[in-house]
Amino acid sequence: MTQATRSTGSETHARPAAGPAEASRPRPILLIEDTPSLQMVYRSVLASAGHRVAVAGTAAEGLSRFRETLPNVVLLDLMLPDRNGLDLMQDMLRLRPETNVIVITANGSINKAVEAMRAGAHEFLVKPFDEQRFLGAVENASLSREARPPRRPPPQPAGPAPVTGAFLGSSEAMARIHAKIRSAARSMATIFITGESGTGKELCALAVHDTSPRAAGPFIALNCGAIPQDLLESEVFGHVKGSFTGAIADKPGAAAAADGGTLFLDEICEMAPALQTKLLRFLQTSMVQPVGATRPRKVNVRIVCATNRDPLDAVRRGHFREDLYYRLFVVPIHMPPLRDRGNDVIEIAEAALSRFAAEEGREFFGLDAEVKALFRRHPWPGNVRQVLNVIRNVVVLNEGGLVTMRMLPDAFTDHPSLPEDLPPPSLPATDAPTLDGLIGRTLAEIEQIVIEATIARHGGSVPKAARMLDVSPSTLYRKREAWKS
């Protein structure tokens, strides 16, 4: 059976001397699987879907067939009799980096699949999988390859990074991030970005999109912490007219809007458990079913997500599904805080100064030495976002020239190098909520008292209070806004 299958596969390949019509035919999919029965099943399913297939049963034969056929898509079982499948994949990608490799692994070897994704695999399938999942993965790999111009790995971005500042800087930490983005961008592997608020997680996601084969497609960003939980499913997957009160027209969700591009899910750890289940299903099937719809539709989307929390800690606390965590946490990227990036703060500040000055029609010449020294030793609890706010304040309130200490905001120069880890100021005893003071109040009132007291105890810093309360800063901002109305 194995030999017959291989012979049939060989007959489907064009010789180098084939004419133009034959040369224009799609290249076959290369299937490397050592179990004859599975070879037959996989090949039959692919052939029924209209795909040409070349088959190999060992790593040595697989590499030979790879050189012969130069496939766009490879289906690779990681457990081969003569060699480690991961090593074989790396050899194939060195020969032809634009190839999309779908790795196949048994249920107990998910760690190997994750390792393969980090090494450049396009997707992975865990046995047993159904026919729809199998063909969906192949289709996504084929579409992704067809949308990509024939070239070597993505080139370095031309010119400077965006002057918003998140990707300016020549520090070693940022160089490592750029290298990881370039390596992971061409894959379909999910990217999981972590880091404090204001470090530039969304711009990191955008950099992944812009250096990937999907750069011409849409980039859709959705903040899971800024949307009420009862509306989040509609925002992600869409809804049909009349599916709930207020649904006055059909609305495509973010997943459908990102078809052919990248879907960025910010503050992913704030997603409700019920929606986490639906997201996991979407990741497994690539099928979107709007709220109220009877039929799902297939989309081709690359997922990038981010959080300012520790995702593994959220799993331990039961706030985030463990299976979803392992599905998403394939290529982790940690955005370092600005205080750990050395001289990057000066590059970011000067780039922002140039940009804002142009916008305001003013002329500034840079930062003086005293300001640079202050910027280097400041802890920047608000990270890049805080730098931009300080520079914007300088440009708006001053006519131009060299930026000096007197031009900086008073609130900034009052505590120029206050370490972030100093103990928070104590509240007066009369301001601290006591049990007696809470008795008789509603739960909503108690929540407001505790939140406001925590923010006050941390010097008015909402992000610090959010970390203490184990919630997202956007949750506190949203609640405070609601209390004002």
Side-chain angles (χ1 to χ4, degrees), residues 115-446:
E115 184 181 356
M117 294 289 279
R118 289 174 177 166
H122 178 83
E123 179 61 284
F124 71 88
L125 296 171
V126 179
K127 302 175 184 177
F129 44 80
D130 58 28
E131 182 177 324
Q132 183 183 35
R133 172 74 179 123
F134 179 62
L135 289 175
V138 172
E139 181 183 348
N140 282 341
S142 301
L143 289 173
S144 174
R145 177 58 184 83
E146 288 166 6
R148 178 188 311 167
R151 55 178 170 82
R152 289 296 172 182
Q156 303 281 345
V163 288
T164 45
F167 281 86
L168 283 176
S170 52
S171 65
E172 184 179 346
M174 289 305 293
R176 286 195 299 268
I177 288 174
H178 282 298
K180 184 172 283 192
I181 288 173
R182 288 192 297 272
S183 177
R186 70 179 184 83
S187 167
M188 273 290 286
T190 53
I191 309 290
F192 204 123
I193 307 168
T194 56
E196 297 177 6
S197 293
T199 50
K201 295 186 290 295
E202 182 169 346
L203 283 174
C204 178
L206 189 58
V208 170
H209 173 77
D210 286 343
T211 54
S212 77
R214 297 171 169 264
F219 177 85
I220 304 297
L222 189 68
N223 190 321
C224 300
I227 300 171
Q229 296 289 2
D230 55 345
L231 294 179
L232 190 53
E233 181 179 358
S234 171
E235 291 294 325
V236 176
F237 299 118
H239 64 253
V240 298
K241 181 180 178 180
S243 56
F244 55 85
T245 303
I248 60 176
D250 290 354
K251 176 184 177 180
D259 194 8
T262 303
L263 175 60
F264 174 54
L265 298 174
D266 198 6
E267 297 194 31
I268 187 73
C269 289
E270 306 306 314
M271 184 175 283
L275 191 55
Q276 291 179 29
T277 303
K278 295 184 178 181
L279 177 61
L280 181 62
R281 178 66 179 164
F282 167 62
L283 293 171
Q284 292 169 339
T285 65
S286 299
M287 302 293 285
V288 171
Q289 184 161 355
V291 178
T294 57
R295 293 183 179 179
R297 59 162 290 199
K298 194 172 192 64
V299 295
N300 179 19
V301 172
R302 202 265 183 85
I303 301 292
V304 179
C305 56
T307 182
N308 58 9
R309 299 169 63 180
D310 178 354
L312 193 54
D313 182 62
V315 170
R316 295 190 190 104
R317 292 171 179 266
H319 298 162
F320 199 69
R321 288 180 62 110
E322 185 175 17
D323 49 1
L324 180 59
Y325 168 79
Y326 285 114
R327 184 75 194 191
L328 293 173
F329 204 80
V330 177
V331 180
I333 296 178
H334 181 71
M335 291 297 298
L338 192 55
R339 60 183 173 274
D340 294 341
R341 290 174 52 183
N343 210 47
D344 284 0
V345 63
I346 306 302
E347 296 180 44
I348 293 169
E350 290 180 337
L353 182 67
S354 176
R355 175 188 172 189
F356 296 152
E359 290 177 1
E360 299 292 337
R362 296 179 180 176
E363 189 173 4
F364 285 84
F365 308 126
L367 314 176
D368 77 1
E370 192 175 4
V371 171
K372 288 181 179 180
L374 170 61
F375 278 19
R376 289 189 188 96
R377 69 174 184 267
H378 192 76
W380 298 107
N383 292 294
V384 175
R385 190 177 294 127
Q386 185 183 4
V387 177
L388 302 183
N389 288 343
V390 169
I391 298 300
R392 173 73 80 176
N393 178 283
V394 168
V395 172
V396 170
L397 298 182
N398 296 275
E399 292 302 318
L402 196 65
V403 176
T404 62
M405 292 288 288
R406 68 171 185 80
M407 296 182 182
L408 300 178
D410 293 340
F412 181 77
T413 54
D414 284 346
H415 305 285
S417 55
L418 180 64
E420 196 177 21
D421 56 357
L422 279 182
S426 300
L427 285 174
T430 55
D431 291 341
T434 63
L435 183 59
D436 289 341
L438 299 178
I439 297 297
R441 294 182 179 271
T442 67
L443 189 59
E445 290 174 332
I446 293 173

Side-chain angles (χ1 to χ4, degrees), residues 23-209:
S24 65
R25 293 179 63 191
R27 289 173 175 161
I29 292 169
L30 175 58
L31 169 63
I32 305 175
E33 165 64 61
D34 68 316
T35 305
S37 60
L38 291 179
Q39 276 188 14
M40 184 174 64
V41 170
Y42 297 158
R43 189 177 187 283
S44 175
V45 170
L46 291 168
S48 298
H51 297 287
R52 294 197 303 145
V53 187
V55 180
T58 64
E61 185 183 8
L63 189 57
S64 174
R65 302 302 294 277
F66 182 84
R67 290 191 174 104
E68 176 191 344
T69 61
L70 298 178
N72 292 331
V73 178
V74 174
L75 287 159
L76 172 65
D77 191 329
L78 290 180
M79 304 300 290
L80 295 173
D82 58 332
R83 192 181 178 196
N84 184 296
L86 184 58
D87 293 339
L88 173 60
M89 183 193 75
Q90 291 172 332
D91 282 351
M92 291 189 293
L93 291 179
R94 274 193 289 270
L95 289 169
R96 196 163 187 265
E98 61 268 34
T99 303
N100 283 337
V101 179
I102 301 172
V103 298
I104 301 173
T105 186
N107 211 12
S109 305
I110 292 179
N111 287 342
K112 278 191 171 293
V114 172
E115 184 181 356
M117 294 289 279
R118 289 174 177 166
H122 178 83
E123 179 61 284
F124 71 88
L125 296 171
V126 179
K127 302 175 184 177
F129 44 80
D130 58 28
E131 182 177 324
Q132 183 183 35
R133 172 74 179 123
F134 179 62
L135 289 175
V138 172
E139 181 183 348
N140 282 341
S142 301
L143 289 173
S144 174
R145 177 58 184 83
E146 288 166 6
R148 178 188 311 167
R151 55 178 170 82
R152 289 296 172 182
Q156 303 281 345
V163 288
T164 45
F167 281 86
L168 283 176
S170 52
S171 65
E172 184 179 346
M174 289 305 293
R176 286 195 299 268
I177 288 174
H178 282 298
K180 184 172 283 192
I181 288 173
R182 288 192 297 272
S183 177
R186 70 179 184 83
S187 167
M188 273 290 286
T190 53
I191 309 290
F192 204 123
I193 307 168
T194 56
E196 297 177 6
S197 293
T199 50
K201 295 186 290 295
E202 182 169 346
L203 283 174
C204 178
L206 189 58
V208 170
H209 173 77

